[in-house]
Amino acid sequence: MADSAGIQQGSPAIGAAGSAPAAPGLGGAEGSGAAGGSARISVKKAQLRSSPRHKKLEKLGVYSSCKAEGACKCNGWKSQNPPATPPRSEQQPVVGNLRQPCRSCSHALGDHVSHLERVPEDEINRLLGMVLDVEYLYTCVHKEEDADTKQVYFSLFKLLRKCILQMGKPTLEAQESPPFERPSIEQGVNNFVQYKFSHLPSKEHQTILELAKMFLNQINYWQLETPSQRRQRLPNDDTAGYKADYTRWLCYCNVPQFCDSLPRYETTRIFGRTLLRSVFTVMRKQLLEQARQEKDKLPPEKRTLILTHFPKFLSMLEEEVYSHSSPIWNQDFLVGGSGGQIPIHTVISAPLVARPLYYTISPASSADLSSGAVSPARKTSTVLEPSPAAGEKRKPTEPLPQEENKRPRVVGDIPMELINEVMATIADPATVPETSLLSAHSARDEAARLEERRGVIEFHVIGNSLNQKPNKRILMWLVGLQNVFSHQLPRMPKEYITRLVFDPKHKTLSLIKDGRVIGGICFRMFPSQGFTEIVFCAVTSNEQVKGYGTHLMNHLKEYHIKHHVLNFLTYADEYAIGYFKKQGFSKDIKVPKAKYVGYIKDYEGATLMGCELNPSIPYTEFSVIIKKQKEIIKKLIERKQGQIRKVYPGLSCFKDGVRQIPIESIPGIRETGWKPLAKGKDVKDPEQLYGALKNILQHVKSHQNAWPFMEPVKKTEAPGYYQVIRFPMDLKTMSERLKSRYYTTRKLFMADMQRVFTNCREYNPPESEYYKCANLLEKFFYTKIKEAGLIDK
């Protein structure tokens, strides 16, 4: 049995005709493909239907109640001389003639089938089909180990058994009938194709339709995991909702593939976005993994389609499946900006079910019954506690409409109508080219995020446990993490690393690639104290500089927001400080000292750093949001530039010796929307000015980005600095000037502070840490100046 449901062992890859085990009770293990299993069922039913009339009555008598006089309560004829050993499942059971007495009630077999003597042949054949379906379900009930699945099998078994007794048609009793959600998965995918690809030429559009058909076909034959397996994998998931969908899927889609007495529905036509969300992540990963493993078996015409186009198609569809604002799931779906409604017709149709694609096992003979195989609805799943991206994605906090209306209008805000218009433009894939991963504008974690969507890498929060039975895979991953940390942190004792990695109080967010551990973050949560201590963080050397470290930390942030722990603390050595700063850590610790002293271990020679999480930020998608905002700003600038059509000649007054002109006198400057800055307010009282400047300087010096400017630059640290910078300035010098009452006006103070930032940017390259500190501190300084009322806001 394959480890993952929906992936057929030894079957051709996606898009090709697959094979699967046969239905139980219908032959041996050999030739157990779906076509073979379906064929055996059809052959057996055809044999019964072509049998003589008295043979059909003998078969139906076993499932018919006694009609003899005297109100006999026997509900099925049983032979008085059963065979010594059970017959093979492919053999017809031995039944007697119509005069043989019943073992239960002693009445003749004819008394059990008297009601069938004048029944038309078509009705007899229909009842015989139900008999075979009852035998199949009886086998499933006895072989099934999952309680939820067994209950459904038994309910369907009783339903068909009752229908044979009453000669009725099976009707599933449910509070609601299909479809269970609108729009359906099929309609949603139709809308997706129209929404994203309607602009493509006919040939490319046909390729997209092929991919969509392939995807819908896979869902129609996908094996859902049982509710108990899902609870193990996603303990915080909506178990009741999934169990209801699972039961419906068994009754209307899965079991009817073999029991054709029951009405059969396509999964993609009666289920909608809710079910698709519950299976999409796992399904995409397994489909792509199967395609990679079986690429050599693919026909040449399918190889490019499946290996190149299908992963991108799934990645784009995933964004719409999990997006909270995707228009493809609206009942009244409209095409982009055309304003016309798409007619509700089927653009894409999965092939009609002529045969079942696959089942997970073949519970056929008595030998199979003892082998521990499971029933068709079962699949193995040994996934541990997932990070939010591995399971259901965390929902970003969205303001309610009434809250949106209450927001104060800020001067300079862009009208929402214009934002929506620009958003519609940048959402069109024909107008915005995709950013290359090698581009300087791509996010640090973009490559890692795409690899996760394609199933190349995955994230799991794992840990050792003293209360549960050891999981071999988890233990292997923990050993792999211990090896990664030991190799990447050579100054840390291996015994200490091993003790913490396997300590049940510690957890590790592990990064898995091709089934092996390539990185992780070991941490210990202190929920009562409101913080988590990060102990180890490493990625194996040959997998670095790929954005894995950033994506790891983003997943860890999402995990902690989900568990309502919003502060990280860690001791970083000199080599790790840069990494943690990029991840939002700083030396400014937000957690009160009394909360963590005595809880975390002090490391000699390391720097304590902290990070405060914002629960409103979806960290794993944060760079995508920033990228989208940049695209919006870029489009707004382009629109503004398009409105300013007049081209003005360059300024020639400087050739005549003019040294300075007012900004507002530059031709065209006011048309761009520029407004002159309001003049600052001079404080005439020297003591009042001194107090205000002292307060501002103290705030600037205590800022986390002020460390490069605290003292004058030393010649030994920056050779040639004073040849480049003619008028140096630093915060220590400014403090001394402030004490000596040098700053008699705010302009003198602001000029010295501005010189600190200007000198830094002149000497250091833009990508340096010093340059970035200057920009951030400058922004903070002007915020404080405005708060003090020294310049107008």
Side-chain angles (χ1 to χ4, degrees), residues 40-294:
R40 280 193 293 274
I41 295 175
S42 301
V43 167
K44 191 166 184 179
K45 288 187 176 182
Q47 288 175 347
L48 276 176
R49 289 164 179 164
S50 63
S51 301
R53 175 84 175 190
H54 71 278
K55 290 290 184 183
K56 296 180 181 180
L57 295 178
E58 289 175 356
K59 182 71 174 177
L60 289 171
V62 179
Y63 297 92
S64 301
S65 58
C66 184
K67 307 297 186 300
E69 296 181 2
C72 181
K73 297 182 180 180
C74 179
N75 63 356
W77 183 86
K78 299 176 182 63
S79 174
Q80 288 188 336
N81 300 304
T85 57
R88 286 180 58 87
S89 56
E90 66 264 30
Q91 295 175 344
Q92 292 281 354
V94 178
V95 295
N97 57 44
L98 296 179
R99 297 173 184 172
Q100 283 190 331
C102 176
R103 187 178 67 197
S104 300
C105 65
S106 299
H107 292 112
L109 173 61
D111 291 332
H112 287 76
V113 297
S114 58
H115 64 293
L116 299 173
E117 292 179 357
R118 297 183 180 180
V119 172
E121 201 69 17
D122 290 344
E123 179 66 11
I124 293 291
N125 290 337
R126 185 184 71 83
L127 294 175
L128 285 172
M130 278 198 286
V131 166
L132 281 184
D133 291 341
V134 164
E135 292 177 352
Y136 163 64
L137 287 171
Y138 182 79
T139 305
C140 289
V141 169
H142 284 274
K143 297 192 71 171
E144 181 57 51
E145 297 175 357
D146 178 72
D148 296 319
T149 311
K150 181 189 285 285
Q151 183 179 3
V152 175
Y153 287 163
F154 186 62
S155 298
L156 295 176
F157 166 80
K158 291 194 298 182
L159 172 65
L160 292 183
R161 187 80 171 81
K162 181 180 178 181
C163 289
I164 297 173
L165 286 172
Q166 300 178 354
M167 298 176 59
K169 294 184 178 181
T171 303
L172 297 173
E173 297 179 1
Q175 294 181 350
E176 55 179 321
S177 57
F180 304 111
E181 188 175 3
R182 296 180 187 275
S184 65
I185 296 174
E186 182 180 275
Q187 184 62 57
V189 174
N190 290 337
N191 296 345
F192 169 70
V193 171
Q194 293 284 350
Y195 178 51
K196 290 290 187 181
F197 307 105
S198 58
H199 63 283
L200 294 178
S202 58
K203 184 176 181 181
E204 285 82 354
H205 193 266
Q206 186 60 37
T207 300
I208 298 299
L209 289 179
E210 289 296 321
L211 294 173
K213 289 179 183 178
M214 188 188 307
F215 175 72
L216 291 173
N217 189 58
Q218 290 294 326
I219 297 179
N220 283 329
Y221 299 113
W222 192 257
Q223 298 298 117
L224 298 187
E225 59 186 339
T226 64
S228 59
Q229 291 170 339
R230 188 171 180 84
R231 277 195 299 271
Q232 180 183 358
R233 185 169 67 86
L234 298 171
N236 297 323
D237 193 42
D238 178 16
T239 307
Y242 180 79
K243 183 177 179 180
D245 281 343
Y246 177 76
T247 302
R248 293 166 178 166
W249 171 77
L250 277 178
C251 294
Y252 292 97
C253 305
N254 181 266
V255 174
Q257 290 185 34
F258 281 110
C259 298
D260 59 6
S261 302
L262 296 167
R264 166 69 158 68
Y265 294 86
E266 298 283 4
T267 304
T268 55
R269 293 184 178 179
I270 65 173
F271 291 100
R273 185 184 192 182
T274 302
L275 182 72
L276 184 59
R277 278 182 165 182
S278 67
V279 303
F280 191 93
T281 303
V282 175
M283 179 181 175
R284 176 184 56 78
K285 172 189 168 185
Q286 294 179 359
L287 288 177
L288 297 182
E289 180 63 26
Q290 182 194 11
R292 284 194 295 269
Q293 291 177 355
E294 302 185 357

Side-chain angles (χ1 to χ4, degrees), residues 538-605:
V539 175
T540 187
S541 55
N542 60 339
E543 297 287 357
Q544 292 179 2
V545 202
K546 296 182 180 180
Y548 292 154
T550 297
H551 206 42
L552 257 174
M553 186 61 71
N554 286 338
H555 269 289
L556 189 67
K557 291 175 180 178
E558 289 276 352
Y559 177 85
H560 278 78
I561 290 174
K562 182 179 177 182
H563 289 80
H564 310 293
V565 178
L566 302 181
N567 282 283
F568 288 155
L569 292 178
T570 188
Y571 273 95
D573 61 22
E574 56 184 320
Y575 302 105
I577 289 178
Y579 165 77
F580 281 110
K581 279 189 175 182
K582 292 175 183 177
Q583 308 310 319
F585 286 72
S586 71
K587 300 174 186 178
D588 183 16
I589 308 300
K590 302 295 184 181
V591 181
K593 194 170 184 179
K595 288 282 188 180
Y596 64 84
V597 169
Y599 286 88
I600 64 176
K601 182 178 176 61
D602 294 331
Y603 292 89
E604 189 175 340

Side-chain angles (χ1 to χ4, degrees), residues 18 56 63 66 77 277 410 507 535 564 640 666 739 763:
K56 296 180 181 180
Y63 297 92
C66 184
W77 183 86
R277 278 182 165 182
V410 180
K507 296 180 180 179
V535 186
H564 310 293
K640 193 68 176 178
I666 300 175
K739 288 179 183 179
Y763 183 79

Side-chain angles (χ1 to χ4, degrees), residues 465-540:
S465 174
L466 301 179
N467 302 322
Q468 299 178 358
K469 184 178 179 180
N471 183 301
K472 183 178 179 181
R473 184 168 65 159
I474 296 178
L475 293 177
M476 291 297 293
W477 284 351
L478 289 173
V479 172
L481 287 163
Q482 188 267 351
N483 289 333
V484 171
F485 292 146
S486 298
H487 281 91
Q488 299 304 125
L489 307 170
R491 296 191 293 178
M492 195 68 67
K494 291 185 179 180
E495 296 80 3
Y496 179 68
I497 292 176
T498 304
R499 178 160 63 85
L500 294 190
V501 169
F502 284 88
D503 177 16
K505 296 179 181 179
H506 287 72
K507 296 180 180 179
T508 306
L509 174 61
S510 55
L511 171 57
I512 312 298
K513 185 174 184 179
D514 298 328
R516 61 185 180 88
V517 176
I518 64 169
I521 301 177
C522 182
F523 60 94
R524 180 176 177 181
M525 301 177 71
F526 295 94
S528 62
Q529 304 304 111
F531 76 92
T532 281
E533 179 189 13
I534 295 178
V535 186
F536 306 125
C537 177
V539 175
T540 187

